[in-house]
Amino acid sequence: MTTEERLYKLEGIVEGVMATLPGQVASLEGRVDLLRQEVKAEIGGLRREVEEKFNGLRQELKGEIQSLRQEVKAEINTAFNKLMLYFTAVAAALAVLTFLR
C-alpha cells in the first residue's frame, strides 16, 4: 500500500469519525444532563432527610433541656428550703439565748 493510498484511507476514516462525532457528543451531553438531574434530585432528597433528622434531634434536645431545667429547679428549691430551715433554727436558737440572758 502506497503512502497516497494510506492517506486516502485515513481521510475516509477521519471523515467517518467526523460524521458520527456530533451525534455521539449530543448523546453524551444528554446523558450528562440526565445524570446532573439525578444527582440534583438525590442531593435534594438527602438534604430534606438531613433537615428532618436535624429537626428531630433539635426537638429531642429541647425536651431534654426542659427536663434538666426542671430537675435543676427542684434541686435549687430543695437546697433553698434546707437553708431556710437552718436560718430558722439559728434564729430560734438566738431567740432562746436572748431570753435566757
Side-chain angles (χ1 to χ4, degrees):
M1 185 179 269
T2 66
T3 306
E4 195 173 303
E5 289 172 336
R6 285 186 205 163
L7 186 58
Y8 182 75
K9 187 177 180 180
L10 186 58
E11 284 177 355
I13 293 171
V14 170
E15 286 176 3
V17 169
M18 293 299 289
T20 60
L21 195 58
Q24 290 176 345
V25 168
S27 174
L28 184 59
E29 286 175 346
R31 284 189 280 173
V32 167
D33 286 340
L34 287 175
L35 287 173
R36 185 179 294 130
Q37 290 172 0
E38 288 178 19
V39 168
K40 282 183 179 181
E42 191 169 333
I43 287 173
L46 289 172
R47 180 179 288 143
R48 284 187 294 277
E49 186 178 324
V50 167
E51 286 175 355
E52 288 172 5
K53 286 182 180 181
F54 181 74
N55 288 335
L57 289 173
R58 180 186 293 157
Q59 291 301 321
E60 187 177 323
L61 185 59
K62 282 182 179 179
E64 187 66 27
I65 288 172
Q66 184 64 28
S67 174
L68 290 173
R69 184 179 289 148
Q70 290 172 353
E71 290 177 22
V72 168
K73 282 182 180 179
E75 291 290 327
I76 290 172
N77 284 337
T78 301
F80 183 73
N81 288 338
K82 285 182 181 178
L83 185 62
M84 292 308 291
L85 285 175
Y86 292 138
F87 282 146
T88 303
V90 169
L94 289 175
V96 168
L97 287 175
T98 302
F99 285 125
L100 292 179
R101 277 180 153 186

